[in-house]
Amino acid sequence: MQAVCQALIGLNLLHPNEGEGEIYCIRRKEFPLPCLIHYIARPPVRIAILLPLFVGLLSAAEVGLTQSGQRIEAKISAGSSASAPTVLLIGGLNGDDESTRIVNQEAASKHSFRLVTIPRANPDKSVLQFPPTGVAYRDHPESQYLWRWIALEGPDLVLIAGDDHGLADALSQNAVAGVGKIPARRIEAKPGILKSLPKQIPISDAHRELDRRRARTPRQLAEELAQFYGHDFDQSTYIPGIALIAQMRLGHVAEVEKLAEPYTTATKDPLTARPSSLNLAGHLVFAELAHRTGNPRYTQMVKRAADLGFDDKGVMKESMPFHDEMSDSVFMATPLVVEAGRLTGDRKYFDLAARHVAFMEKLDLRPDGLYRHSPLTDAAWGRGNAFPALGLALTLTGFPTDHPAYPRLLLAYQQLMAALAKVQDDEGMWHEVLDEPASYPETSATSMIAVAMLRGIHHGWLDKAAYQPHVDRAWKSVLIRVAPNGVLIDVCESTNKQKTLDDYLHRAASLDKDPRGGAMAMLLATEMAGLP
């Protein structure tokens, strides 16, 4: 029986509900294991016969948050087959009214298509605008959440019960969130809505585009992104730097050397103009060039930056500078210091790396294993955890296994990965605030965490059976959020330490080309492709 359950888990049809050994989760819906055993154990029932029993099973999803912090929720019912069209039925655009009751009633009806319902799409009765304008998710948050969520769900038909506030026309006439048009119409809020639908529902432009995006291989996505990211190094920070590292993985080392030349010839100095943690992480480009070319100039640049962790007498400082108490510094400083150790053979840099991680843990690691972004608030900002995740993975990659601190660093990495696995949503995304599932799914954090997990699987730090499904779901979710023109959906803006949870919940999210998000998605694509 356990083997059968594990097989279903492997197919992403069954998920263990941690903390409750006898309960398993089928998609987002809890299902008692004894009942599952009953169905599987009764001959001649087999898995191929069992799976159709899940058709029509309701699951839940978070669409977003209203201005007042109320959740907008969706219900999802599976269709009769994987190829069944998707119908989205929306009610409650004027608050909790008759349309809400009708949509809930329709959600319980029988149907062959995949049905998604949003019964209370506007709980606060806010003014709605479609297509939404302003900054997501500060201006018109309800409109912004609905617009982007609908686009990424890719329905083939949208029905809006009651007043629609122009949503039907906006969906039908626009490439929704850059994905594609979706046929939509307003209908009267009365019973039997779904019975009037035709048997054949054509595939929508949005659905077709999402399928096209999902079909891309890792190499194809990396090459697509390489057209738009990784072509400048005017600012020697990690944002262009990660894209340049990805470009080198694609074989473009000579091109990156040309971009780095002003720094190696002293035309530019990355540490004197505006030294910061961003500049420290930007030195990872020089470390990569040093490994690939053997040029000692790059090694000296890495060493010079790492030496900021020692005073004039060579005494190790409490930590690397420029951390500003933010969890970002686990990534910004630690891998660079490890690279200095690898390139020079001087173990003092590994000692410094271990000290810096311990220093940051005291500042920002929460009791539940996630990171607060800074001591100002306990908010588990998405990228504020992705930075430590990626930072620890890169640190372990170059850290000597015979060093006394290696077991502690490995445990820190494994514990963070376990904590992050618990807060990944069913689609595969990590959110702007990790433990607030109604906050927006954040693309750069998801890319970074997936790289960290995949690196752990490849090096044997993580169990593949347990963590590969997390990586696979993340990859599929990132794929649909990256357009062929380099536009990304929902990358959080640059974020210094904030004072409140609400500040993090309302950080601006992109729907445009984004150097940070593009670089991290490109890094994930090259890691998935297995490029050295």
Side-chain angles (χ1 to χ4, degrees):
M1 182 58 235
Q2 185 67 22
V4 174
C5 291
Q6 290 300 324
L8 291 175
I9 291 170
L11 291 170
N12 198 26
L13 294 167
L14 199 65
H15 301 291
N17 186 0
E18 297 182 18
E20 306 213 20
E22 66 205 27
I23 299 291
Y24 279 74
C25 295
I26 298 173
R27 297 181 181 162
R28 301 179 183 89
K29 184 73 173 178
E30 289 188 351
F31 193 89
L33 183 57
C35 295
L36 186 61
I37 293 173
H38 173 74
Y39 286 123
I40 294 178
R42 278 183 60 191
V45 177
R46 296 291 183 267
I47 293 176
I49 300 175
L50 172 68
L51 296 183
L53 296 175
F54 302 156
V55 172
L57 184 66
L58 280 177
S59 58
E62 301 282 359
V63 175
L65 292 168
T66 69
Q67 190 69 54
S68 69
Q70 289 198 69
R71 285 176 167 79
I72 303 172
E73 298 178 330
K75 299 176 183 178
I76 302 172
S77 178
S80 59
S81 69
S83 61
T86 296
V87 174
L88 171 60
L89 178 58
I90 300 175
L93 284 175
N94 280 336
D96 196 345
D97 57 15
E98 177 64 11
S99 68
T100 299
R101 187 186 70 81
I102 292 297
V103 170
N104 277 321
Q105 180 179 310
E106 292 293 304
S109 64
K110 293 182 178 181
H111 41 269
S112 60
F113 46 80
R114 179 173 178 267
L115 178 64
V116 181
T117 58
I118 307 176
R120 298 173 66 242
N122 186 17
D124 290 351
K125 300 182 181 180
S126 299
V127 175
L128 301 175
Q129 183 183 63
F130 301 106
T133 59
V135 177
Y137 290 90
R138 297 175 190 156
D139 306 321
H140 305 288
E142 295 86 355
S143 302
Q144 298 278 6
Y145 273 113
L146 286 167
W147 188 251
R148 298 188 186 193
W149 193 88
I150 291 170
L152 292 170
E153 193 65 27
D156 299 299
L157 175 64
V158 176
L159 303 174
I160 304 161
D163 292 339
D164 75 336
H165 296 263
L167 177 57
D169 285 344
L171 292 172
S172 300
Q173 298 171 12
N174 295 272
V176 186
V179 177
K181 295 180 180 179
I182 304 171
R185 64 175 183 264
R186 177 183 174 276
I187 55 174
E188 187 178 349
K190 63 180 183 180
I193 292 172
L194 300 179
K195 292 180 179 178
S196 62
L197 294 182
K199 291 183 178 181
Q200 299 296 325
I201 299 174
I203 188 172
S204 68
D205 290 347
H207 187 158
R208 188 175 292 107
E209 170 60 14
L210 292 178
D211 284 347
R212 189 204 66 79
R213 293 184 186 186
R214 290 188 187 99
R216 292 175 292 185
T217 66
R219 181 72 187 234
Q220 285 172 331
L221 181 63
E223 295 285 4
E224 274 190 10
L225 288 167
Q227 299 177 53
F228 306 98
Y229 303 105
H231 297 286
D232 72 87
F233 204 28
D234 295 336
Q235 299 294 322
S236 58
T237 67
Y238 83 92
I239 297 175
I242 292 296
L244 291 174
I245 290 172
Q247 287 280 16
M248 283 188 271
R249 286 180 158 191
L250 290 168
H252 306 147
V253 177
E255 291 87 339
V256 175
E257 280 209 274
K258 290 180 182 178
L259 294 172
E261 187 175 0
Y263 300 102
T264 59
T265 58
T267 305
K268 287 184 176 183
D269 187 341
L271 292 178
T272 58
R274 292 182 60 187
S276 69
S277 63
L278 307 182
N279 296 121
L280 292 181
H283 278 70
L284 291 174
V285 173
F286 305 124
E288 188 75 16
L289 283 168
H291 288 300
R292 290 179 180 271
T293 68
N295 189 328
R297 291 184 300 173
Y298 299 127
T299 297
Q300 287 303 310
M301 296 185 71
V302 173
K303 181 180 181 300
R304 178 174 174 241
D307 282 343
L308 293 173
F310 301 89
D311 65 18
D312 293 340
K313 297 180 180 180
V315 176
M316 189 185 303
K317 297 178 182 178
E318 185 180 25
S319 70
M320 282 293 286
F322 314 132
H323 58 78
D324 202 22
E325 299 185 324
M326 293 191 295
S327 61
D328 311 28
S329 188
V330 178
F331 163 78
M332 301 293 178
T334 320
L336 166 71
V337 174
V338 169
E339 289 302 325
R342 290 180 68 193
L343 291 165
T344 65
D346 194 333
R347 290 174 73 89
K348 72 177 184 180
Y349 294 109
F350 302 122
D351 298 338
L352 175 58
R355 174 177 286 195
H356 185 71
V357 170
F359 177 84
M360 296 310 304
E361 286 178 338
K362 288 179 181 178
L363 280 175
D364 295 325
L365 189 61
R366 301 191 333 186
D368 64 355
L370 296 175
Y371 277 80
R372 63 179 66 86
H373 189 209
S374 84
L376 288 183
T377 173
D378 263 353
W381 179 47
R383 206 156 59 233
N385 281 266
F387 279 127
L390 184 56
L392 286 170
L394 296 177
T395 294
L396 286 171
T397 301
F399 206 88
T401 58
D402 63 348
H403 191 284
Y406 180 83
R408 179 169 61 81
L409 290 172
L410 177 60
L411 180 62
Y413 164 83
Q414 291 170 334
Q415 289 176 335
L416 180 57
M417 295 302 104
L420 289 169
K422 293 178 182 178
V423 291
Q424 185 186 31
D425 72 18
D426 292 312
E427 184 191 2
M429 296 294 291
W430 282 276
H431 287 236
E432 167 66 359
V433 175
L434 295 181
D435 47 6
E436 175 45 83
S439 64
Y440 62 86
E442 210 281 332
T443 302
S444 66
T446 299
S447 299
M448 295 164 74
I449 295 169
V451 170
M453 286 188 174
L454 188 56
R455 184 69 62 95
I457 292 168
H458 289 163
H459 284 269
W461 310 325
L462 298 176
D463 178 63
K464 183 175 182 178
Y467 282 91
Q468 190 67 49
H470 291 284
V471 173
D472 292 342
R473 292 201 302 275
W475 168 246
K476 291 174 183 176
S477 292
V478 169
L479 268 177
I480 67 171
R481 287 169 169 79
V482 181
N485 59 359
V487 168
L488 293 97
I489 296 177
D490 288 343
V491 176
C492 177
E493 66 182 317
S494 179
T495 299
N496 209 319
K497 53 186 179 182
Q498 305 294 302
K499 295 181 179 179
T500 68
L501 170 62
D502 197 59
D503 291 334
Y504 287 101
L505 290 172
H506 292 95
R507 298 300 294 166
S510 69
L511 180 54
D512 203 346
K513 292 184 177 69
D514 185 279
R516 180 185 291 100
M520 292 306 177
M522 196 172 167
L523 184 67
L524 174 58
T526 57
E527 193 83 11
M528 291 288 295
L531 300 178

